[in-house]
Amino acid sequence: DVQLQASGGGLVQAGESLRLSCSGSTLTLEGFGIGWFRQAPGKEREWVSYRGSRDGTRDYADSVMGRFTISEDVAENTVYLQMNSLKPEDTAVYYCAAANPWTIVRGREEHEYEYWGQGTQVTVSS
């Protein structure tokens, strides 16, 4: 039973942009804290961005601040991660995750999230 689905990954050159989508099937994303994480080959999964549930919170890892933007289309039940000025070090599998509001502290830790999408590959060539 797939509850979250991440999509939009691909192969781009450095400096280009991609927009990732996180769609809910049985989850209404507006009511959940939504996080984006990524895992590069040989590395641990790391937090990228967080959108708070109904409170307007937007938070970003230092490595993507100013380049990535998290947004939402409530009608489409989709959260987006707009990624601009991509760098080779952004290459990773990107995951979206959803958390019930009462489990969120800062939205930066994997254990805060209950639901995970399957991941979408982003490859940035130099």
Side-chain angles (χ1 to χ4, degrees), residues 53-111:
S53 168
R54 306 180 192 271
D55 64 1
T57 299
R58 303 287 188 270
D59 196 13
Y60 302 92
D62 289 344
S63 60
V64 306
M65 183 79 70
R67 300 187 298 122
F68 290 12
T69 303
I70 193 169
S71 64
E72 181 175 20
D73 186 328
V74 174
E76 292 295 324
N77 198 29
T78 300
V79 173
Y80 301 101
L81 185 68
Q82 178 67 42
M83 306 187 297
N84 298 330
S85 302
L86 282 162
K87 304 175 181 180
E89 51 264 44
D90 294 319
T91 295
V93 177
Y94 283 71
Y95 300 88
C96 64
N100 287 297
W102 54 85
T103 69
I104 290 291
V105 178
R106 297 181 66 190
R108 297 186 174 196
E109 303 294 335
E110 292 184 45
H111 66 80

Side-chain angles (χ1 to χ4, degrees), residues 39-44 91-93 121:
Q39 187 167 21
K43 296 187 177 181
E44 293 187 352
T91 295
V93 177
Q121 177 70 48

